[in-house]
Amino acid sequence: MAGTRININFEATAARQSLAGLLSAIQNPAPLLEELGEYTLGSTRDRFKTQTAPDGSAWAALQPWYKREKRRNKERILTLNGFLRSQLVWQMVGERTVEVGSNLVHAAIHQFGGVIRPRAGKLLMFRGHVAKSVEIPARPYLGLSKEDERELVERTLDWLRTT
């Protein structure tokens, strides 16, 4: 080839160092998972303020009889004393998974809904309300909103950029 030439030299040292750091970080994602767990826990607790599911829909209203009999926080759904919200936790499961949830006995029925029936006898009695059964509507508080998903991706990308 006659004429002008362009020489390109590729220095791989910096690229190798960056890739080695990235590989090391990926092999130990615990710091990232801790950050994602804390974020998700905070976002989940915020749902008790907005009284909305991860998809943005409002939680089902309280039954009128329950609202009348409720001793405190009459306008707050899923909040009598605040135990459900305060007992939410995140935890590492293995080396590559983080979970957010609650081990309270009543946590699942509020998330998924269900029917409560008497264990013994024919009737349930709760604060003056007597019934053969009580249906609890699903009021999802666990899960990721679209905003949560975007935030988790952004935090992951930031973490990868700084490793």
Side-chain angles (χ1 to χ4, degrees):
M1 177 178 359
T4 308
R5 289 188 176 163
I6 297 174
N7 292 322
I8 299 173
N9 293 319
F10 178 67
E11 179 56 50
T13 305
R16 284 186 188 135
Q17 288 172 346
S18 292
L19 289 173
L22 184 59
L23 180 60
S24 174
I26 289 171
Q27 289 174 341
N28 178 25
L32 170 64
L33 294 175
E34 290 172 7
E35 179 180 341
L36 300 182
E38 283 292 330
Y39 169 82
T40 304
L41 178 62
S43 176
T44 302
R45 285 184 173 156
D46 287 346
R47 288 196 189 95
F48 287 78
K49 295 175 190 166
T50 62
Q51 302 184 97
T52 56
D55 68 4
S57 63
W59 288 340
L62 297 174
Q63 292 291 331
W65 66 266
Y66 179 69
K67 193 172 181 180
R68 274 192 313 274
E69 299 295 326
K70 198 173 174 190
R71 286 182 270 159
R72 60 180 73 103
N73 291 310
K74 289 181 181 272
E75 302 302 319
R76 307 296 306 165
I77 301 167
L78 295 187
T79 302
L80 177 61
N81 297 310
F83 292 140
L84 181 57
R85 180 181 183 272
S86 70
Q87 295 300 308
L88 292 169
V89 296
W90 69 266
Q91 67 180 10
M92 294 283 294
V93 178
E95 296 178 0
R96 302 196 173 285
T97 303
V98 64
E99 293 180 345
V100 176
S102 172
N103 64 356
L104 291 175
V105 173
H106 62 281
I109 199 159
H110 292 303
Q111 175 75 16
F112 303 111
V115 177
I116 300 174
R117 292 183 176 81
R119 289 186 192 170
K122 296 181 181 182
L123 297 173
L124 292 169
M125 196 146 97
F126 183 77
R127 300 198 194 215
H129 182 75
V130 178
K132 291 183 180 183
S133 64
V134 175
E135 185 172 346
I136 306 291
R139 294 180 175 113
Y141 53 92
L142 296 172
L144 299 175
S145 67
K146 294 294 182 195
E147 177 58 32
D148 291 337
E149 290 173 3
R150 283 190 291 276
E151 183 64 25
L152 294 176
V153 167
E154 190 57 41
R155 286 173 184 240
T156 300
L157 292 173
D158 286 347
W159 180 76
L160 290 171
R161 285 184 204 111
T162 59
T163 57

